[in-house]
């Protein structure tokens, strides 16, 4: 894949008995103490796939070692496409960059003064204890090339769409972002928020928390706080786009990648649009809907840029470009990369909790109705060695 390494180090084969967790942690501890590896390749047999959750918790939280998981079947089949994906993931986990957006396509975003954020909440339920909990994931662009996306994750009680600790999650990322930008706050913040609603009551709360994070960072060498735009992302809206001519459709019969609809289907007097960012290989796939519910960034730019793009076109072009930044693939994704990564981070944390290893964070029988207090996250802190990496891939 073009990556030159000094060679691999022999690992350890684990044969399980009842105490799977102890065996996995002992093996990872052994590798860490003896070799200090840059990355661990974990090969799971067909009977051990479920035990990958235990391994993730060990190298993400306990030991802080980047790791890639493969199944034995994938190696045995010698699938070159899958090998390419593994190569892309290894490069990202070791701090490399796979894709980046051309600066000419980013307009004022290429100046390095804009922070792009992706947030997502995922609801889960403990089958053994009967309570609900919410996993919140936050992705923040680390630089103007939009190639790397560190994550922050939190877990809170009940089914809560509002992210209670958004200010604390963002504050840590603001400090990391400022180190690369002259110890300054960003001038603009664009937030892509996964949601299936339009005018959610928690939007204003989260905007206030973002401003609180900027104040708490104490980096304000400029007079004003960053301008903020919030875009709700609904990838399950249910609309279908149909081409009107043979020249405007893919061979599968679906509209071409990059198709935008911002009239007809949209809400009058509101700012929303539908984007089909990828080509479907089989049948029709619905577009993703983007709904601007709070804007301080784009509407102040009334003049067109040097390529004749209006503020509306700038947001649509940025959103389409973000769909091509998924580090695990060379194709566009259905939803923009910050949202996709935030979903992956939430799924990663859900895999920890499926083990019931962290069930002590919740009280037995606690329901969503009588508990909206954020759960303590001391047992959920990602290890500092991998916290700024894309550990969730």
């Amino acid at each position: 894949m073009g990556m030159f390494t000094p060679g691999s180090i022999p690992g350890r084969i684990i044969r399980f008995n009842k105490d799977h967790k102890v065996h996995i942690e002992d093996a990872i501890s052994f590798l860490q103490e003896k070799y200090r590896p840059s990355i661990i390749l974990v090969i799971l047999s067909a009977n051990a796939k479920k035990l990958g959750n235990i391994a993730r918790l060990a190298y993400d939280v306990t030991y802080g070692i980047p790791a890639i998981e493969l199944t034995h079947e994938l190696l045995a089949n010698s699938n070159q496409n899958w090998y390419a994906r593994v190569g892309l993931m290894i490069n990202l986990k070791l701090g490399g960059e796979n894709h980046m957006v051309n600066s000419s396509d980013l307009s004022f975003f290429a100046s390095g003064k804009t922070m792009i954020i992706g947030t997502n909440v995922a609801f889960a339920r403990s089958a053994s204890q009967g309570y609900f909990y919410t996993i919140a994931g936050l992705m923040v662009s680390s630089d103007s090339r939009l190639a790397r996306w560190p994550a922050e994750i939190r877990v809170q009680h009940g089914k809560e769409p509002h992210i209670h600790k958004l200010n604390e999650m963002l504050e840590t990322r603001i400090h990391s972002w400022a180190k690369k930008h002259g110890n300054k706050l960003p001038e603009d913040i664009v937030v892509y928020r996964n949601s299936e609603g339009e005018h959610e009551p928690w939007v204003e709360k989260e905007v206030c928390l973002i401003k609180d994070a900027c104040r708490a960072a104490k980096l304000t060498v400029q007079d004003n706080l960053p301008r903020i735009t919030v875009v709700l992302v609904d990838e399950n809206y249910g609309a279908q786009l149909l081409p009107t001519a043979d020249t405007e459709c893919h061979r599968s019969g679906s509209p071409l990648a990059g198709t935008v609809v911002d009239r007809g289907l949209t809400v009058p007097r509101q700012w929303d649009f539908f984007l089909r960012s990828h080509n479907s290989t089989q049948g029709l796939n619905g577009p993703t809907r983007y709904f601007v519910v709070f804007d301080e960034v784009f509407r102040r730019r009334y003049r067109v840029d040097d390529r004749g793009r209006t503020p509306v076109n700038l947001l649509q072009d940025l959103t389409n470009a973000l769909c091509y930044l998924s580090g695990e693939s060379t194709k566009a994704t259905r939803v923009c990369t910050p949202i996709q990564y935030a979903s992956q981070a939430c799924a990663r944390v859900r895999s920890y909790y499926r083990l019931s290893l962290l069930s002590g964070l919740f009280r037995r029988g606690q329901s969503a109705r009588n508990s909206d207090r954020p759960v303590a996250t001391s047992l959920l802190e990602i290890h500092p060695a991998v916290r700024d990496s894309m550990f969730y891939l």
Side-chain angles (χ1 to χ4, degrees):
M1 298 302 166
M3 294 182 293
F4 299 97
T5 66
S8 61
I9 298 169
R12 173 178 285 188
I13 296 177
I14 305 174
R15 303 190 184 280
F16 295 103
N17 56 26
K18 295 182 179 180
D19 203 348
H20 310 314
K21 181 175 181 291
V22 172
H23 282 287
I24 291 176
E25 290 187 349
D26 285 347
I28 297 177
S29 176
F30 167 77
L31 295 176
Q32 175 77 326
E33 293 176 2
K34 186 172 182 179
Y35 299 114
R36 299 289 176 182
S38 300
I39 193 167
I40 295 177
L41 181 66
V42 181
I43 303 173
L44 300 171
S45 67
N47 296 327
K49 293 179 181 179
K50 295 181 180 180
L51 302 179
N53 296 338
I54 301 177
R56 293 187 197 108
L57 185 64
Y59 45 67
D60 288 349
V61 178
T62 307
Y63 297 100
I65 308 174
I68 298 290
E69 297 171 10
L70 287 176
T71 61
H72 178 265
E73 293 88 346
L74 290 173
L75 289 177
N77 294 336
S78 187
N79 188 319
Q80 295 301 315
N81 290 332
W82 185 258
Y83 287 170
R85 182 184 178 189
V86 172
L88 292 172
M89 292 173 64
I90 290 175
N91 188 43
L92 286 177
K93 292 231 175 184
L94 294 180
E97 298 177 348
N98 291 343
H99 314 310
M100 61 189 69
V101 181
N102 193 325
S103 59
S104 62
D105 295 330
L106 290 176
S107 186
F108 68 92
F109 296 104
S111 63
K113 299 179 181 179
T114 301
M115 174 186 287
I116 299 179
I117 298 173
T119 61
N120 182 44
V121 293
F123 305 126
R125 181 177 182 272
S126 171
S128 60
Q129 299 188 17
Y131 53 72
F132 287 93
Y133 58 93
T134 301
I135 304 170
L138 178 139
M139 301 289 125
V140 178
S141 58
S142 59
D143 52 39
S144 60
R145 293 183 293 185
L146 309 180
R148 296 195 55 77
W149 298 83
E152 287 290 329
I153 50 178
R154 290 292 186 274
V155 177
Q156 39 191 64
H157 282 294
K159 296 178 67 175
E160 280 288 331
H162 167 47
I163 304 177
H164 295 276
K165 295 295 184 179
L166 180 60
N167 54 336
E168 296 180 6
M169 297 168 68
L170 182 56
E171 184 182 349
T172 59
R173 288 294 128 208
I174 287 178
H175 284 290
S176 298
W177 191 90
K179 290 178 182 179
K180 301 179 181 180
H181 297 83
N183 205 37
K184 296 181 180 179
L185 285 173
E187 293 184 2
D188 301 317
I189 296 178
V190 180
V191 182
Y192 288 90
R193 175 67 153 85
N194 193 35
S195 173
E196 296 183 359
E198 297 176 359
H199 298 286
E200 300 285 3
W202 41 258
V203 171
E204 294 182 1
K205 295 181 182 179
E206 293 190 358
V207 170
C208 293
L209 290 177
I210 293 173
K211 293 181 178 180
D212 290 343
C214 294
R215 295 188 189 98
K218 298 180 180 179
L219 298 171
T220 52
V221 295
Q222 60 266 41
D223 294 332
N224 301 320
L225 291 174
R227 295 174 288 267
I228 300 172
T229 290
V230 179
V231 184
L232 298 187
V233 182
D234 186 357
E235 53 185 315
N236 299 309
Y237 187 74
Q240 288 288 352
L241 303 183
L242 300 175
T244 57
D246 292 341
T247 57
E248 298 175 353
C249 69
H250 186 251
R251 63 178 180 269
S252 64
S254 58
L256 295 174
T259 298
V260 174
V261 175
D262 55 8
R263 65 193 69 183
L265 292 176
T266 55
V267 180
R269 301 181 182 274
Q270 300 292 338
W271 185 1
D272 63 330
F273 62 93
F274 295 86
L275 171 63
R276 184 181 177 80
S277 57
H278 70 305
N279 286 319
S280 175
T281 55
Q282 294 182 351
L284 296 175
N285 254 338
T288 299
R289 186 193 187 206
Y290 298 87
F291 196 105
V292 182
V293 293
F294 186 87
D295 178 50
E296 296 175 342
V297 176
F298 294 92
R299 283 190 173 95
R300 70 184 183 89
R301 301 177 183 272
Y302 292 102
R303 296 191 301 174
V304 298
D305 66 359
D306 53 359
R307 295 176 58 178
R309 294 178 293 185
T310 64
V312 173
N313 299 137
L314 284 175
L315 177 59
Q316 293 172 356
D317 284 353
L318 171 67
T319 304
N320 187 58
L322 288 174
C323 293
Y324 284 83
L325 288 179
S326 177
E328 303 172 75
S329 173
T330 57
K331 298 180 180 179
T333 55
R334 182 181 179 184
V335 68
C336 61
T337 297
I339 294 296
Q340 179 192 353
Y341 281 164
S343 298
Q344 289 179 250
C346 291
R348 188 85 164 189
V349 178
R350 189 187 292 115
S351 71
Y352 304 157
Y353 277 80
R354 284 174 181 165
L355 305 173
S356 299
L357 295 176
L358 304 181
S359 59
L361 294 176
F362 303 99
R363 286 183 294 181
R364 182 180 297 272
Q366 202 161 24
S367 66
R369 293 182 178 180
N370 58 19
S371 176
D372 57 0
R373 179 177 56 83
V375 68
T377 57
S378 58
L379 294 179
L380 191 59
E381 290 294 330
I382 300 300
H383 196 281
V386 296
R387 189 176 183 182
D388 290 330
S389 70
M390 300 173 71
F391 66 90
Y392 49 85
L393 295 179

